[in-house]
Amino acid sequence: MRIITGIYKGRHFDIPRSFKARPTTDFAKENIFNVLAGYIDFEGINALDLFSGTGSISLELVSRGCEHVVSVEMDRDHHRFICDCIKKLTPNTPQPSPHILPLRGDVFRYIKSCKQQFDFIFADPPYALKELPTIPGLIFERGMLKEGGILVFEHGKENDFSNDPRFVEHRTYGSVNFSIFRN
């Protein structure tokens, strides 16, 4: 896993082989961020990374200048890995980066209790998750995305969100599908 661009460009992190997470490939990540450059400037915004997995997207967002990133991951080992990566980015400081808050917890509980709004939300649930099709709707129902904010939803090829009124476009990179929404 590597950080594509920004202040931490080129930093690599080795993902343990024991991980169950399916990280967004560097190829897909680089391409979707190139597309997003036409939608949003990451400098100084607040972002949310749901189903963080390896933390690849959270680290990329911080590197690109996000003021604050909340990273939500339920798996204990994955959460620990994200925390370790954050520490490696700022090794000479006693506290982890003030720009990223890694939370260990259930994404659905987080969505239900979230009172904060974000400029950008990235969600990458397990493709087999039965609740997967409901996630964009839940995010919009809870008012988690600021007006004009962008939601990027990673999903399998069998999902189609094009009928959602906030749907903007769909991108496919290999087996990775992204639906982009604007509030």
Side-chain angles (χ1 to χ4, degrees), residues 4 27 33 43 65 88 91 106 116 124 151 171:
I4 307 297
F27 173 77
F33 272 96
E43 190 70 36
K88 288 176 185 174
D106 178 77
Q116 186 176 358
D124 179 11
L151 164 64
R171 293 290 178 127

Side-chain angles (χ1 to χ4, degrees), residues 32-58:
I32 195 63
F33 272 96
N34 286 339
V35 170
L36 290 172
Y39 287 102
I40 192 165
D41 179 4
F42 291 102
E43 190 70 36
I45 69 167
N46 290 323
L48 173 64
D49 181 9
L50 297 172
F51 304 95
S52 299
T54 63
S56 173
I57 299 298
S58 294

Side-chain angles (χ1 to χ4, degrees), residues 21-176:
R22 168 203 31 81
T24 303
T25 65
D26 287 348
F27 173 77
K29 181 171 66 169
E30 184 169 7
N31 281 289
I32 195 63
F33 272 96
N34 286 339
V35 170
L36 290 172
Y39 287 102
I40 192 165
D41 179 4
F42 291 102
E43 190 70 36
I45 69 167
N46 290 323
L48 173 64
D49 181 9
L50 297 172
F51 304 95
S52 299
T54 63
S56 173
I57 299 298
S58 294
L59 297 171
E60 189 70 37
L61 290 168
V62 169
S63 184
R64 289 172 183 256
C66 285
E67 181 63 30
H68 189 69
V69 177
V70 177
S71 177
V72 183
E73 173 55 46
M74 187 160 80
D75 184 276
R76 176 185 41 125
D77 294 332
H78 297 187
H79 176 263
R80 184 179 305 122
F81 178 77
I82 294 167
C83 292
D84 290 345
C85 289
I86 295 166
K87 288 177 191 166
K88 288 176 185 174
L89 290 179
T90 54
N92 298 324
T93 58
Q95 297 294 322
S97 171
H99 300 287
I100 186 167
L101 175 62
L103 299 176
R104 182 171 171 246
D106 178 77
V107 165
F108 293 100
R109 283 186 176 171
Y110 179 83
I111 290 172
K112 194 173 186 178
S113 65
C114 183
K115 306 271 188 263
Q116 186 176 358
Q117 284 192 314
F118 299 91
D119 301 289
F120 178 77
I121 299 174
F122 187 95
D124 179 11
Y127 291 178
L129 187 70
K130 67 178 176 142
E131 298 92 350
L132 182 143
T134 68
I135 295 169
L138 291 172
I139 289 169
F140 287 112
E141 285 170 23
R142 296 290 303 156
M144 295 172 67
L145 199 59
K146 290 180 181 177
E147 188 171 330
I150 298 294
L151 164 64
V152 173
F153 191 65
E154 186 174 334
H155 55 84
K157 65 182 178 192
E158 63 280 347
N159 300 105
D160 179 9
F161 297 95
S162 60
N163 290 329
D164 188 292
R166 293 157 298 232
F167 176 83
V168 177
E169 72 173 288
H170 175 262
R171 293 290 178 127
T172 302
Y173 304 103
S175 63
V176 181

